[in-house]
Amino acid sequence: MGHGPRVALCLVRSADGPEFLRAVARSARLHGRWVYPPAGPASFRSYLARISRGEDTGFLVRRRDTGQLAGFVNLNNVVRGALQSAELGYAAFSPNQRKGFMAEGLGLVFGYAFGTLGLHRLQASIQPDNRPSVALARSCGMALEGFSPRYLFIGGAWRDHEHWGVTAEEWPA
């Protein structure tokens, strides 16, 4: 799919399931109450089915030096027409968090979304106390655009979210 100096970006495939699920298990404490990626074979199959329908795309961020999974990024709810946008979902995997791998991976996804797909806008909804995710969005050129109380039902509760966004013109390619 593409690569940078330290990471490669790949589309999620069925064969990635066992490795992905091990990474999710290893990262449960890191993800806390913020992110609930597929954690078992059935939920991974459901994830694959969702991204195979064409409105969502799943990417893996791999370290080029070791091939280890550093994280994943989803382009969700791609909307065409006058909007030309997508919603981002992402998470790092332990022990590769806070080392710049996800920032590089998101940069590759932004390049794909704004270049290959011709999207105009990317958005991410982030729980305000998820400081690492907020810092990652900011480091990738996203700006805080708003706040919604009790926006998404995550981990058994309605959670507040900040909305971060960037347009093709604003993104520092």
Side-chain angles (χ1 to χ4, degrees):
M1 193 80 229
H3 63 83
R6 300 186 320 139
V7 303
L9 190 66
C10 316
L11 293 172
V12 178
R13 303 168 300 132
S14 178
D16 297 313
E19 181 184 16
F20 185 95
L21 295 174
R22 284 191 303 275
V24 168
R26 185 175 64 240
S27 306
R29 186 177 173 140
L30 171 67
H31 295 160
R33 67 177 182 88
W34 297 312
V35 181
Y36 291 85
S43 59
F44 187 77
R45 284 190 301 275
S46 294
Y47 169 60
L48 286 173
R50 181 175 61 85
I51 62 176
S52 71
R53 288 193 293 263
E55 294 165 1
D56 303 331
T57 305
F59 300 96
L60 298 177
V61 178
R62 290 188 177 277
R63 292 179 55 159
R64 289 184 68 190
D65 60 349
T66 65
Q68 185 179 38
L69 288 179
F72 68 94
V73 181
N74 294 325
L75 282 177
N76 297 315
N77 305 318
V78 174
V79 178
R80 294 304 190 164
L83 194 53
Q84 296 295 328
S85 76
E87 186 79 25
L88 287 169
Y90 55 83
F93 289 134
S94 293
N96 295 298
Q97 72 274 19
R98 298 186 183 140
K99 296 179 180 173
F101 298 122
M102 288 301 293
E104 189 176 323
L106 274 174
L108 293 169
V109 171
F110 284 19
Y112 174 77
F114 292 139
T116 303
L117 294 182
L119 297 179
H120 177 255
R121 175 178 190 68
L122 294 174
Q123 303 171 150
S125 297
I126 304 169
Q127 293 177 58
D129 56 345
N130 187 345
R131 294 173 201 248
S133 186
V134 167
L136 178 57
R138 185 177 286 123
S139 76
C140 291
M142 300 183 90
L144 178 62
E145 297 180 333
F147 175 82
S148 294
R150 298 169 307 285
Y151 182 66
L152 289 172
F153 194 77
I154 297 176
W158 288 100
R159 310 273 184 199
D160 298 346
H161 280 73
E162 293 176 344
H163 304 289
W164 290 77
V166 64
T167 64
E169 297 88 357
E170 297 165 331
W171 181 57

